[in-house]
Amino acid sequence: MEDRNTGAPGRAQRFTSYSHSKNCAVESALEVIGGKWKGVILFHLLSGEMRFSEIRRAVGAITQRTLTKQLRELEADGVLTRTVYPVVPPKVEYRLTEKGEALTPILTGLRAWGLRYTLSETDATGEEA
Amino acid sequence: MEDRNTGAPGRAQRFTSYSHSKNCAVESALEVIGGKWKGVILFHLLSGEMRFSEIRRAVGAITQRTLTKQLRELEADGVLTRTVYPVVPPKVEYRLTEKGEALTPILTGLRAWGLRYTLSETDATGEEA
DNA sequence: CGGTATCCCCAGTGATACTG
DNA sequence: CAGTATCACTGGGGATACCG
């Protein structure tokens, strides 16, 4: 990732000393759900387990390659499980783990915020329901 | 808007007849705070207004160019305001708007989730008030 | 059905230097 | 202090084709 020393022999070596404190928790959380489609994927999975093609249809314009990749990353991050049923035709189900379900308030919060502030051009006049 | 039973594990109706209409709210919200540093920037601004260099120091390893860009995008998204004081040396202050402050539960939620699930093994003494 | 395997492109970031 | 201006690089994500 970092520390690539390609070309430029005189280049100053950048030191990625991560000395910033605990606020990185925000960052690391964002790294998990921050993929282009991850939020939407996780949101859909809040309703329960889904098959690959279901997710694909639900998310919309996403390629297989990208969906596979994002799902594998989410799996690697431990927010969902991937279950392969050895049947034919193949059947793979994705389901949130407890870690993933713990994102529920965040995901619904994001959706509520997005609805209120980004999709409806409601002026921020402090009107709260 | 038919709520997709947020939080409840009821997987009765999971046929997303709406392809990706309102769920994009999650996506559009993520687009606002999903930048590499935006979450951290916003989180720091929860404490109050900050100057450019303060943010830079707080965030850590971020270049001026990138910080400027992310701040401008956040400003364009209406989550913060940029106030230039015509003094010398220059002084610019950044402050969350109401729209930005509405992200508070999400940001603190992200931080709590990140602390608990992604870096709890290191030093979970993030019991900041 | 649920993937891999390639190839490609460009948006996002970083490094560095200069300025009002 | 708070930016711009340039240049370079990477890697995330898309398009397409093929496979078990």
Side-chain angles (χ1 to χ4, degrees):
Chain A
M1 237 187 269
E2 51 273 81
D3 193 79
R4 76 278 141 101
N5 198 7
T6 51
R11 277 280 169 74
Q13 195 180 42
R14 68 164 170 179
F15 38 94
T16 11
S17 55
Y18 289 140
S19 57
H20 22 296
S21 47
K22 326 168 186 65
N23 307 320
C24 282
V26 178
E27 203 181 332
S28 49
L30 241 17
E31 280 176 17
V32 176
I33 70 170
K36 185 172 180 182
W37 305 98
K38 288 182 183 173
V40 193
I41 293 170
L42 293 173
F43 182 79
H44 280 289
L45 282 172
L46 289 182
S47 310
E49 61 187 358
M50 299 176 76
R51 299 183 60 169
F52 185 86
S53 48
E54 282 184 296
I55 301 177
R56 180 145 68 117
R57 257 179 282 115
V59 169
I62 188 174
T63 57
Q64 265 147 340
R65 180 192 174 283
T66 301
L67 179 54
T68 301
K69 209 181 158 210
Q70 306 248 318
L71 285 170
R72 293 297 158 85
E73 289 174 8
L74 289 169
E75 185 190 10
D77 285 327
V79 295
L80 56 81
T81 56
R82 175 173 176 267
T83 309
V84 183
Y85 295 91
V87 296
V88 55
K91 177 179 175 183
V92 180
E93 292 221 315
Y94 294 89
R95 153 167 274 172
L96 291 183
T97 61
E98 183 233 332
K99 179 176 176 180
E101 286 184 351
L103 286 169
T104 303
I106 293 171
L107 292 168
T108 56
L110 280 170
R111 180 167 170 279
W113 187 88
L115 276 175
R116 172 143 151 77
Y117 290 103
T118 77
L119 294 189
S120 60
E121 297 307 302
T122 311
D123 195 31
T125 43
E127 167 162 11
E128 190 76 340
Chain B
M1 51 207 70
E2 56 284 341
D3 39 324
R4 290 179 55 81
N5 38 36
T6 55
R11 49 168 302 181
Q13 52 102 23
R14 85 145 99 77
F15 288 155
T16 29
S17 34
Y18 44 83
S19 51
H20 45 288
S21 46
K22 314 180 186 57
N23 306 322
C24 282
V26 178
E27 203 181 333
S28 49
L30 240 18
E31 280 175 17
V32 175
I33 70 170
K36 185 172 180 183
W37 305 99
K38 287 182 183 173
V40 192
I41 293 171
L42 292 173
F43 182 79
H44 280 290
L45 281 172
L46 289 182
S47 311
E49 61 187 358
M50 299 176 77
R51 299 182 58 168
F52 185 86
S53 49
E54 281 185 296
I55 300 177
R56 181 145 69 118
R57 256 178 284 113
V59 169
I62 188 175
T63 58
Q64 264 150 338
R65 181 191 174 285
T66 300
L67 179 54
T68 301
K69 209 182 160 207
Q70 306 246 318
L71 285 170
R72 293 297 157 87
E73 288 174 9
L74 290 169
E75 186 190 10
D77 284 327
V79 295
L80 57 80
T81 56
R82 176 173 176 267
T83 309
V84 183
Y85 295 92
V87 297
V88 55
K91 177 179 175 183
V92 180
E93 293 221 315
Y94 294 89
R95 154 168 274 173
L96 292 183
T97 61
E98 184 235 332
K99 179 176 176 179
E101 286 183 352
L103 285 168
T104 303
I106 293 171
L107 292 168
T108 55
L110 280 170
R111 181 166 169 281
W113 187 89
L115 276 175
R116 167 121 197 262
Y117 289 102
T118 76
L119 37 88
S120 56
E121 66 282 354
T122 37
D123 183 24
T125 44
E127 308 307 317
E128 168 243 279

